[in-house]
Amino acid sequence: MLDKINKLVEEVKELSAASAEEVEQLRIKYLSKKGSVSQLFEEFKTIANEQKREVGKVLNVLKTQAQEKINELREAQSSTDQSASGMDLSAPGTVLPMGSRHPLSIVKNEIVDIFARLGFNVAVGPEIEDDHHVFTALNFPPEHPARDMQDTFFIATNPDVILRTHTSSVQVRFMEKQQPPLRAIFPGRVFRNEAISARAHCIFHQVEGLYIDKNVSFADLKQTLLYFAKEMFGEETKIRLRPSYFPFTEPSAEMDISCTLCGGKGCNVCKHTGWVEILGCGMVDPNVLESNNINSEEYTGFAFGMGIERITMLKYQIKDIRLFFENDVRFLKQFESAY
Ligand code: PHE
């Protein structure tokens, strides 16, 4: 009997299996009730008592070895099954490519943030507008040549359905709803019928601002815009106000900042003047206050408006406005920001 056992011990050592099924068959062959190991246990009952001690020991060793071998084969099989099905449970997950914010959104959020620190709220309004909100309530008389300056898109047979040319229309809607003190900025998309070039587009974005209260002065306007320029372009930035004309402000001005590229020494960006224009502004014309039911004897205010594209181009030294609208990821993914 010892011989038989030793033969089986050797046999079990050499076992191998190519599939989970084969492992199961081996288990049946050796370890099931009728399996060869179990058979030996039956035979064991019949041997002489004095042999039992010795034979029993080897027989038990055979049994554990057979069990261990089968378990080992089973485990090997389940891991090969996994890789055969293309799954590696230890592999790291697929990394999803992260998008980045559009540069115009980054700069818009930054502008909103700067003015929020001065107590300005944000208000928005419709892109499809009427003549009243875009022109008449802003002191553009009918037939006034300043309407031409705005290159309006008329989008219906009804000439009163237009695309807004500036977000000043939202200022009007804001004044309609609330009495002063008012302090808000108005970001949004605007439309002008202009030829598309490296410097101009028929769709662009603005942030306009409005502050109306008792005793608001031009000095307040200047200080607010100086704060904005320094926050946006750096502490060393200087500003300059040049007289200008808008129907809705009087007096009106255009604001330049010291060139962000050469710091005022003169370069291509500032056309060797040291200054670049970034916005229009002025004291709200009393006619505008009155046509929006605000008492112009009691209240004064200032307004300003800037193009987000222009600010972004200066900040990031982008030479062509069309890049903002082409959705080329090679351009877009260069912008990453907390905003
Ligand atoms: N609405 C003007 C524009 O679009 C900008 C502006 C706003 C100027 C407010 C003065 C005051 O060009």
Side-chain angles (χ1 to χ4, degrees):
M1 181 160 182
L2 265 180
D3 275 357
K4 269 198 202 160
I5 297 175
N6 284 330
K7 235 182 100 198
L8 266 185
V9 168
E10 289 310 309
E11 204 179 307
V12 163
K13 268 189 199 155
E14 302 302 316
L15 290 182
S16 68
S19 69
E21 250 161 64
E22 279 185 37
V23 178
E24 179 59 11
Q25 272 160 17
L26 290 176
R27 188 192 66 79
I28 294 170
K29 181 168 173 206
Y30 293 97
L31 296 172
S32 69
K33 267 209 177 129
K34 298 218 164 105
S36 38
V37 177
S38 315
Q39 292 290 313
L40 284 176
F41 274 93
E42 286 302 312
E43 212 177 315
F44 177 72
K45 291 177 187 160
T46 66
I47 63 170
N49 271 349
E50 45 298 0
Q51 287 187 342
K52 277 205 167 137
R53 206 180 136 89
E54 193 192 350
V55 176
K57 221 168 150 190
V58 244
L59 193 55
N60 274 325
V61 171
L62 168 66
K63 191 180 171 192
T64 19
Q65 278 189 351
Q67 270 166 349
E68 274 170 13
K69 184 75 191 180
I70 301 278
N71 285 344
E72 200 179 284
L73 290 175
R74 193 178 285 143
E75 245 160 58
Q77 221 38 62
S78 67
S79 60
T80 39
D81 278 0
Q82 240 172 44
S83 50
S85 70
M87 277 210 281
D88 176 357
L89 299 185
S90 66
T94 330
V95 181
L96 292 175
M98 282 280 278
S100 55
R101 248 184 245 290
H102 194 282
L104 294 177
S105 297
I106 294 173
V107 171
K108 183 203 74 186
N109 293 344
E110 204 173 337
I111 297 171
V112 167
D113 219 55
I114 293 170
F115 283 103
R117 278 178 241 143
L118 296 174
F120 284 79
N121 298 319
V122 172
V124 291
E127 293 178 348
I128 299 174
E129 268 291 5
D130 52 36
D131 182 277
H132 174 78
H133 290 93
V134 178
F135 296 125
T136 309
L138 288 162
N139 199 33
F140 286 80
E143 316 300 332
H144 191 281
R147 289 180 183 230
D148 274 359
M149 277 163 51
Q150 300 266 341
D151 299 312
T152 312
F153 278 117
F154 295 86
I155 55 166
T157 40
N158 178 354
D160 203 24
V161 182
I162 60 176
L163 295 180
R164 65 181 181 195
T165 59
H166 50 188
T167 57
S168 304
S169 53
V170 192
Q171 306 199 18
V172 175
R173 290 183 180 275
F174 196 66
M175 287 186 273
E176 280 170 353
K177 279 209 213 89
Q178 307 181 36
Q179 278 293 309
L182 302 176
R183 188 160 39 178
I185 57 171
F186 314 94
R189 193 159 60 147
V190 300
F191 308 84
R192 291 184 195 178
N193 188 8
E194 276 183 46
I196 297 171
S197 71
R199 301 181 55 89
H201 210 287
C202 56
I203 299 173
F204 60 102
H205 298 77
Q206 280 191 326
V207 176
E208 297 216 347
L210 178 69
Y211 178 28
I212 301 174
D213 202 346
K214 290 178 179 150
N215 301 318
V216 176
S217 71
F218 201 91
D220 296 324
L221 169 62
K222 194 176 160 189
Q223 204 55 36
T224 303
L225 294 179
L226 177 64
Y227 174 77
F228 165 73
K230 283 176 181 284
E231 288 293 294
M232 193 65 179
F233 295 104
E235 187 53 36
E236 64 295 341
T237 310
K238 296 189 190 61
I239 64 166
R240 162 174 105 166
L241 290 161
R242 284 178 290 101
S244 184
Y245 172 77
F246 300 101
F248 33 90
T249 46
E250 183 60 35
S252 304
E254 271 166 275
M255 186 174 98
D256 300 340
I257 56 166
S258 48
C259 181
T260 49
L261 199 65
C262 64
K265 288 190 202 75
C267 68
N268 276 341
V269 172
C270 60
K271 301 204 187 84
H272 302 283
T273 63
W275 296 96
V276 280
E277 185 206 320
I278 63 159
L279 56 79
C281 60
M283 300 306 291
V284 180
D285 192 301
N287 286 342
V288 173
L289 296 175
E290 292 297 336
S291 64
N292 291 292
N293 297 321
I294 293 170
N295 184 348
S296 63
E297 297 294 325
E298 199 180 349
Y299 292 105
T300 51
F302 66 70
F304 57 87
M306 65 187 95
I308 304 178
E309 280 78 359
R310 184 154 182 76
I311 305 281
T312 312
M313 287 168 83
L314 285 170
K315 197 166 162 92
Y316 292 107
Q317 290 165 28
I318 298 163
K319 298 249 153 59
D320 193 323
I321 195 172
R322 290 168 290 200
L323 284 166
F324 292 124
F325 304 102
E326 281 163 3
N327 288 332
D328 184 336
V329 286
R330 290 168 302 178
F331 170 69
L332 295 177
K333 75 179 176 198
Q334 295 177 52
F335 300 89
E336 264 163 37
S337 158
Y339 283 101

